[in-house]
Amino acid sequence: MCGIVGYIGKRNAYPILIKGLHRLEYRGYDSAGVALINEQGQLNIYKAKGKVAELEAFCADKDTRGTIGIAHTRWATHGEPSTVNAHPHYSESERLAIIHNGIIENYAVLKAGLMEQGYTFRSETDTEVLVQLIEYTQLNEHVDLKTAVQLALQQVIGAYAIAVLDKDHPDTLIAARKGSPLVVGIGEDEYFLASDATPIVEYTDKVIYIEDEEVVYISMNPNSPPSREGQGGGSIDITTINNVAKTPEIKRLELSLSQLEKGGYPHFMLKEIFEQPRTLTDSMRGRVNVRQDNIALSGFIDNKERFLNAKRIIITACGTSWHAGLIAMYAIEEFAQIPVEVEYSSEFRYRKPVINKDDVVIAISQSGETADTLAAIQLAKSKGAFIFSICNVIGASIPRVSDSGCYTHVGPEIGVASTKAFTAQVTALTMLALCIGKEKRTMSEEQYLRIVRELGRIPDKISRVLEQEKRIADFSKTFTYAQNFIYLGRGYNYPVAMEGALKLKEISYIHAEGYPAAEMKHGPIALISQEMPVVVVAPHCGTYEKVVSNIQEIKARKGRVIAIVTEGDEVVSKIADYIIEVPETEECLTPLLTVIPLQLLAYHIAVVKGCDVDQPRNLAKSVTVE
C-alpha cells in the first residue's frame, strides 16, 4: 500500500519526489503530500486529496526549494481520505515531519498517553501519533533524533516504514522499517529512499534493502566521513532499533527505465497482457533446457529431500496468487501424489493451523511484501516447516524470510490487476510439480516429456490467443450494461473462472463470482436470466461433456453465454452466444491459455465503462497492511 519517496543530496528535491510519486501511483492511493526543508531552514508541508497531479497543481505557486525532502501517497486506513489526514504530518512544534506506511496497532494507547501530556492532534491518523511520540521522546529523554526514533519504535506494535525530517538538522534524513518495504538508493553525493525501486532506477542501480527493525541515518554534513560504500560525500549508518550496528549489503538493481513505461499501449494492464508470451519465456529461461526435455529448478534441486519427504504441502497466498495456488494443487496432487492444502494467508495466520516439521509451505506473492502472507510463513517457519516462495520482486521480504524459492522474472507489474504475474506463477508452480513428480516417479517419463515440451510451446500459443483481441473488444461493448456476471469452470479451469471474475470486479466494478460449473445447480442457477451473462471456461479436455451439459442448462433458462473453447470446437460453438478459441494443449496447461481471453474481456469492458484500469478505486498493488 501507499508510497514513500525521499531524497537528500545536492539537487532540488521536489522534481525527484514528484516523479517518484508518479512512479508509485500503481500501488494505489487516495491523497498525496510532500515535505521540504529550504535553504532558510523552513520545513514546508504541502498536501492534497486525490491524485499526484492535484498535489502538483496545489504546489504550483508554493516554495518548493530544498535539497532534502520526503513525499508520500496515502491509502487510507485510520481516518477518511482527506487533505488533513494525508501525509506528511508535523509534530506538535512543527519541527519534525513524518511519512509512514503500515499500521500502528497500539496507536490509541500511545495517543491517550500523549494527550495526557498536553499534546493535541490535527488528524485522525495513527501516523501523527508516531511523530508526536518521537518528539516527546526526544524532549523528555534528552537524546538526539536518531535515538528518539529508536526508543519510540520500541514502543510501537504494528508495521511501519517511515521517513523523518528535522528542520533543525536540514542535512539529515532518518528512516526505519518493520513489515513494510523500504529501499535506499546510493548515488554520487546523494541518496534516495522509496517503498520499492521504481522511483530510484532512473538515478542509480545501487540499492540497500532495509531489514525489519533497522533504522537508517543519512547525513550530508560536510564534516561527516565518506560513506562506507565509497560514494563520496555524505554518510549512511544503519542500526537496529536497539542500536546494534548493521553492515549494509549493496545490491544491483535488475530493472530498466523502459520497463516502467507504457511502450505505446493505452494502459499498463494491456501492455502486461500482451507481454505474456515474452514474460513466460523469460520465466522458463534457464529452467527448461534447450531440448525441452527437462526442467531444472535450483530451489528444488538444492532442497530435493524436503519435497520428496513431505507428508503435506500447504500453499498460502492472497487474491490472484491464491488462484494460482489452487491450480498448483491440481498439478502437485496429480503429478507428485502429495496432499495439498491451499490457504488464504489472512485466515491461515489466525486459525491456529496444525503445522508439522515435515510440511512444505509454499508462499505465493507477486510483490513479496504481502503482509498476511509474510505473517503466515513466519508462523509456519516457527513451527519448523520448510518455506518455499514464488515471488517476482528480487530482494523482497518474503523471499528473504523463505528457506528457498523461485523468482518468476516477469519484470515490474504496474497494473494493479495482476495478469503476467499470474501466468508466471502458474508456470513456476507447474514446473515445480513436474520436478517433484519426476523425482518421485509418480508420473511416467512419457507424460513428463510430453508436458515439458508442450510448456515450451505455450508462449507461441498465447500469442495466437492475443490475435483475437479486436473481436473480444468489439463484443465486450455488449456487456457494459451488466450488473452481475457468473464465471464457471471445472478442474484446472475452476480457479481460472474465479480469476476471471476477480479481474472483472477489480477494474470494471461489476459484481462477478466464479463457481465450479457443477455447483451451479446448488444455488447460482437461480440467478440465470437474460440479464445475467455467464462466462464458461470449456476447453476440450477432462470434464468437457459435463460442462457442455451445464451450458445447455443455462441456455434453457435464456442465459447469455460467453464460452472459452478449444480451437475447432463444434459443440459449444453452436450453443454459446459468443466463443473465444484457444489452441489445444495439455489439460494442466490450459489455464495459461484460457485466462488470457478473460483478462482481455475484463479490460475492454472496463475501458468502455470509462474506468481507471491501471488504478482501480480502493485497491493497492501491494497489500502491505492487514
Side-chain angles (χ1 to χ4, degrees):
M1 326 292 269
C2 307
I4 281 178
V5 187
Y7 175 78
I8 181 170
K10 296 181 179 180
R11 299 193 232 188
N12 187 15
Y14 177 75
I16 295 169
L17 298 176
I18 289 295
K19 184 177 285 187
L21 292 185
H22 279 300
R23 295 270 187 229
L24 292 173
E25 284 189 293
Y26 75 96
R27 295 174 72 92
Y29 69 106
D30 47 58
S31 58
V34 60
L36 299 152
I37 302 176
N38 66 18
E39 290 84 350
Q40 288 73 45
Q42 294 174 310
L43 175 57
N44 297 312
I45 289 181
Y46 308 120
K47 305 191 284 189
K49 180 183 175 182
K51 297 294 185 181
V52 174
E54 294 174 66
L55 174 64
E56 288 183 272
F58 179 74
C59 291
D61 59 351
K62 303 296 188 298
D63 177 7
T64 57
R65 294 172 298 158
T67 58
I68 180 173
I70 53 178
H72 189 265
T73 50
R74 176 179 187 251
W75 188 87
T77 55
H78 297 74
E80 67 181 9
S82 69
T83 301
V84 171
N85 289 329
H87 301 203
H89 289 286
Y90 280 121
S91 63
E92 178 124 320
S93 69
E94 297 191 358
R95 180 173 60 84
L96 306 181
I98 194 171
I99 53 178
H100 165 228
N101 289 352
I103 291 178
I104 308 302
E105 295 177 10
N106 61 333
Y107 86 100
V109 173
L110 297 172
K111 185 174 184 178
L114 290 165
M115 291 177 71
E116 287 179 4
Q117 299 298 320
Y119 280 76
T120 58
F121 292 83
R122 301 174 176 90
S123 75
E124 304 168 85
T125 66
D126 55 338
T127 301
E128 189 183 0
V129 175
L130 184 52
V131 73
Q132 303 283 39
L133 179 63
I134 291 169
E135 181 169 86
Y136 172 79
T137 302
Q138 185 177 18
L139 293 174
N140 281 269
E141 299 293 335
H142 306 289
V143 294
D144 59 32
L145 181 60
K146 176 188 169 186
T147 305
V149 170
Q150 291 171 321
L151 294 174
L153 292 177
Q154 290 173 23
Q155 301 178 56
V156 165
I157 299 172
Y160 54 80
I162 63 169
V164 182
L165 293 184
D166 180 350
K167 72 175 184 179
D168 291 346
H169 296 277
D171 52 11
T172 299
L173 177 61
I174 295 177
R177 72 151 281 183
K178 180 184 178 182
S180 288
L182 198 63
V183 59
V184 175
I186 304 168
E188 293 291 339
D189 299 336
E190 60 185 355
Y191 296 87
F192 306 85
L193 192 71
S195 304
D196 63 43
T198 54
I200 293 174
V201 65
E202 188 170 344
Y203 309 102
T204 181
D205 63 353
K206 298 179 179 67
V207 297
I208 300 170
Y209 294 102
I210 307 306
E211 302 287 347
D212 272 358
E213 297 192 338
E214 287 185 346
V215 178
V216 183
Y217 179 88
I218 303 172
S219 174
M220 297 303 295
N221 189 313
N223 297 319
S224 64
S227 85
R228 63 186 72 174
E229 285 73 45
Q231 294 297 311
S235 65
I236 180 170
D237 183 63
I238 300 177
T239 62
T240 68
I241 62 173
N242 295 311
N243 206 35
V244 177
K246 305 286 284 190
T247 301
E249 183 182 357
I250 299 176
K251 302 282 190 180
R252 190 168 294 275
L253 281 178
E254 295 183 9
L255 184 65
S256 67
L257 194 58
S258 63
Q259 291 176 300
L260 306 179
E261 305 296 341
K262 292 179 184 176
Y265 288 91
H267 298 95
F268 281 108
M269 182 179 178
L270 188 62
K271 176 193 175 190
E272 288 157 5
I273 290 172
F274 272 83
E275 283 180 338
Q276 287 173 107
R278 177 184 60 78
T279 56
L280 290 198
T281 299
D282 290 345
S283 192
M284 289 186 279
R285 183 173 288 115
R287 293 164 173 170
V288 178
N289 67 1
V290 175
R291 297 188 305 275
Q292 294 189 348
D293 61 6
N294 191 45
I295 293 172
L297 291 180
S298 59
F300 169 77
I301 293 168
D302 296 341
N303 302 278
K304 190 182 301 182
E305 297 306 314
R306 292 304 302 256
F307 285 96
L308 299 183
N309 295 327
K311 300 292 190 298
R312 176 180 61 162
I313 291 176
I314 301 169
I315 298 175
T316 184
C318 301
T320 285
S321 297
W322 187 78
H323 297 153
L326 286 177
I327 294 169
M329 177 184 71
Y330 284 92
I332 294 170
E333 291 192 339
E334 178 181 354
F335 303 147
Q337 298 293 294
I338 300 173
V340 179
E341 298 174 11
V342 185
E343 301 271 3
Y344 281 116
S345 298
S346 55
E347 291 296 315
F348 180 72
R349 63 180 292 196
Y350 286 118
R351 66 169 182 80
K352 296 182 175 60
V354 177
I355 304 170
N356 301 308
K357 291 184 178 180
D358 54 5
D359 287 337
V360 170
V361 175
I362 299 176
I364 314 171
S365 169
Q366 187 281 140
S367 68
E369 301 290 351
T370 309
D372 285 319
T373 305
L374 181 58
I377 62 172
Q378 287 170 331
L379 170 64
K381 195 167 187 177
S382 72
K383 305 280 189 180
F386 178 79
I387 312 299
F388 187 91
S389 59
I390 305 286
C391 294
N392 185 37
V393 179
I394 295 172
S397 297
I398 288 173
R400 292 207 305 268
V401 170
S402 302
D403 297 301
S404 184
C406 175
Y407 284 114
T408 51
H409 296 304
V410 300
E413 187 176 65
I414 305 300
V416 168
S418 182
T419 52
K420 64 178 182 177
F422 172 76
T423 50
Q425 288 168 352
V426 172
T427 299
L429 289 159
T430 301
M431 289 192 291
L432 178 62
L434 289 166
C435 287
I436 303 170
K438 180 186 180 186
E439 285 294 327
K440 287 193 70 179
R441 299 183 179 180
T442 46
M443 63 186 305
S444 69
E445 181 71 12
E446 185 274 330
Q447 183 188 26
Y448 174 82
L449 289 173
R450 192 178 70 243
I451 295 172
V452 171
R453 286 168 179 157
E454 180 61 16
L455 189 59
R457 292 190 279 264
I458 288 296
D460 288 339
K461 293 188 175 184
I462 291 177
S463 295
R464 285 162 55 186
V465 178
L466 290 169
E467 291 172 0
Q468 301 176 73
E469 187 224 354
K470 186 179 184 305
R471 190 169 64 83
I472 294 170
D474 288 342
F475 76 68
S476 293
K477 301 171 187 175
T478 307
F479 296 99
T480 54
Y481 71 88
Q483 299 297 309
N484 299 280
F485 264 74
I486 291 179
Y487 285 67
L488 302 175
R490 295 196 74 164
Y492 281 95
N493 286 288
Y494 159 49
V496 173
M498 289 197 290
E499 174 62 11
L502 178 61
K503 287 285 110 26
L504 189 69
K505 278 186 281 197
E506 286 179 316
I507 62 172
S508 75
Y509 317 139
I510 295 173
H511 175 256
E513 295 297 331
Y515 287 95
E519 289 297 302
M520 181 184 64
K521 295 187 289 293
H522 298 277
I525 198 167
L527 299 172
I528 301 299
S529 71
Q530 291 180 345
E531 287 72 43
M532 171 70 82
V534 182
V535 179
V536 185
V537 187
H540 203 292
C541 56
T543 54
Y544 174 75
E545 288 77 12
K546 303 288 184 183
V547 176
V548 170
S549 298
N550 295 140
I551 295 172
Q552 290 170 330
E553 290 163 355
I554 295 165
K555 295 304 297 179
R557 290 156 180 82
K558 303 189 184 301
R560 303 182 72 185
V561 173
I562 304 165
I564 314 301
V565 300
T566 302
E567 287 176 345
D569 183 288
E570 296 181 354
V571 178
V572 175
S573 60
K574 295 176 182 177
I575 308 171
D577 298 274
Y578 302 90
I579 64 162
I580 306 168
E581 292 188 328
V582 299
E584 186 175 6
T585 190
E586 293 288 326
E587 183 176 10
C588 64
L589 303 181
T590 55
L592 296 170
L593 302 181
T594 56
V595 76
I596 306 299
L598 304 188
Q599 294 171 350
L600 289 170
L601 181 68
Y603 171 81
H604 284 293
I605 289 176
V607 167
V608 174
K609 290 190 68 181
C611 299
D612 190 343
V613 172
D614 285 336
Q615 297 170 38
R617 67 189 183 203
N618 302 333
L619 295 180
K621 182 65 180 173
S622 177
V623 184
T624 57
V625 299
E626 289 189 60

